[in-house]
Amino acid sequence: IRFDDPPRPPRAFTKWWGEGLGEQYGEQLHRFDKYEEDVVVVGFPQPWMSPRPDGFWWHVPQIDRRFTSYDSNAFLPDWEYLPDFLAELPNTDAPGLFDEAKRIADQAHAEGKYVLIHHWSLMYELIWQFRGMQELLIDYYEYPEEVHALHRAVLDTEMKLLKRAFEEVKPDGYMISDDLGTQTALMMSPAMFREFIKPYYVELWGLCREHDVDSWLHTCGNISEIIGDLIECGLSVLHPLQKGTMDWDAVAAKWKGKIAFLVGMDVQD
């Protein structure tokens, strides 16, 4: 990550079993137990949409909603709910949020391991869960001020939690996900990414740089048009360079020495 020429590439997420792999191979997967992870991943608490007594939740309208599909089940179905939503953001001072993460991180650091604090979904994936994916892509054009207000609330909440994580957990790295690409191109135009998402990444990963913490991003699909932007934002590690969507050799030749790649295996072909 820091280009210090380690004796071998560090091992991270090497046993990321899922999508039926455990059921398919069963006990055979224990053959990999001898390969020890260098990176210990600990959970980063994320507020969600259900009310909690400690106030650590997104105060979305508690209305009846008919579930349709994952990418259209909006928790903020109309912008009329935005003022009330912004008036009461998640309580980032809720007690105990990082207790388990601290326990795991302390043990990992005592063993000389790299601690990566991690959660899914932020400046794109979380936002479209508020609005619905298709609706959000329209909002970029029709309701830009409202989108920025929602982004600001999400980022400010994340930054407060991140500062608390730096103090309590003392991670070496911080990882989020935003799947920004399809099989062939970005979900949105590069111009829309630069207007609505890039400025918030700059703030977020700038805070990481200030605390000497590496920033990691998981983003599926073809995101070749914005790799340079992600580097400008301060990103340290990019995952997974999805096989079959981008030319690995061309990406490596263009950006080597400027960012670390955590490359995934082909899970489609």
Side-chain angles (χ1 to χ4, degrees):
I1 296 172
R2 302 291 178 97
F3 302 105
D4 289 335
D5 296 321
R8 62 168 174 77
R11 289 190 285 261
F13 292 103
T14 58
K15 304 176 184 68
W16 198 346
W17 313 142
E19 307 299 329
L21 198 71
E23 292 80 358
Q24 182 177 358
Y25 291 102
E27 292 297 316
Q28 295 183 65
L29 294 175
H30 287 298
R31 296 163 60 186
F32 294 94
D33 290 349
K34 63 182 179 181
Y35 299 108
E36 191 175 3
E37 291 275 308
D38 298 302
V39 175
V40 174
V41 180
V42 300
F44 186 105
Q46 254 193 313
W48 195 235
M49 315 296 175
S50 301
R52 287 175 43 144
D54 61 3
F56 187 64
W57 65 289
W58 295 110
H59 292 69
V60 295
Q62 300 300 298
I63 57 177
D64 291 333
R65 57 172 61 84
R66 182 176 61 87
F67 185 84
T68 53
S69 63
Y70 180 59
D71 60 356
S72 61
N73 188 38
F75 287 95
L76 279 178
D78 195 290
W79 286 118
E80 69 179 21
Y81 298 112
L82 184 63
D84 288 342
F85 173 87
L86 297 177
E88 192 171 6
L89 296 178
N91 174 21
T92 56
D93 294 321
L97 294 179
F98 289 94
D99 287 359
E100 181 64 8
K102 182 182 185 307
R103 184 190 67 79
I104 298 172
D106 286 349
Q107 180 179 342
H109 279 143
E111 297 172 357
K113 299 293 183 67
Y114 180 107
V115 172
L116 179 67
I117 196 160
H118 162 267
H119 73 78
W120 302 113
S121 308
L122 195 65
M123 298 313 305
Y124 178 60
E125 290 181 345
L126 178 58
I127 304 301
W128 67 248
Q129 290 180 71
F130 284 124
R131 292 290 295 143
M133 184 184 291
Q134 179 174 296
E135 199 67 30
L136 175 63
L137 295 173
I138 297 172
D139 288 339
Y140 286 160
Y141 294 90
E142 296 189 349
Y143 297 97
E145 292 183 8
E146 287 82 354
V147 172
H148 277 297
L150 182 55
H151 282 193
R152 173 50 54 191
V154 166
L155 183 70
D156 286 352
T157 300
E158 185 78 1
M159 297 272 273
K160 290 176 182 177
L161 289 168
L162 193 53
K163 290 175 182 177
R164 186 171 167 183
F166 292 157
E167 181 178 340
E168 296 185 33
V169 183
K170 298 178 174 55
D172 303 291
Y174 158 75
M175 182 178 182
I176 59 168
S177 75
D178 275 319
D179 286 340
L180 298 168
T182 69
Q183 287 288 115
T184 58
L186 289 174
M187 289 281 189
M188 71 292 291
S189 71
M192 288 292 133
F193 168 81
R194 290 166 187 145
E195 178 178 351
F196 289 102
I197 299 177
K198 183 176 180 177
Y200 302 95
Y201 281 168
V202 169
E203 287 188 53
L204 183 66
W205 297 334
L207 180 65
C208 290
R209 290 293 176 100
E210 289 174 14
H211 289 79
D212 197 32
V213 171
D214 304 318
S215 50
W216 300 42
L217 176 67
H218 164 87
T219 180
C220 286
N222 184 344
I223 47 91
S224 55
E225 291 180 289
I226 59 166
I227 292 177
D229 293 275
L230 296 173
I231 293 170
E232 289 176 5
C233 292
L235 186 62
S236 310
V237 180
L238 180 60
H239 175 265
L241 290 187
Q242 184 179 338
K243 184 69 173 178
T245 68
M246 291 179 284
D247 184 329
W248 281 4
D249 291 336
V251 170
K254 185 172 185 179
W255 303 113
K256 66 180 180 180
K258 297 181 180 179
I259 192 169
F261 296 115
L262 176 58
V263 180
M265 298 176 66
D266 189 343
V267 295
Q268 291 180 283
D269 188 4

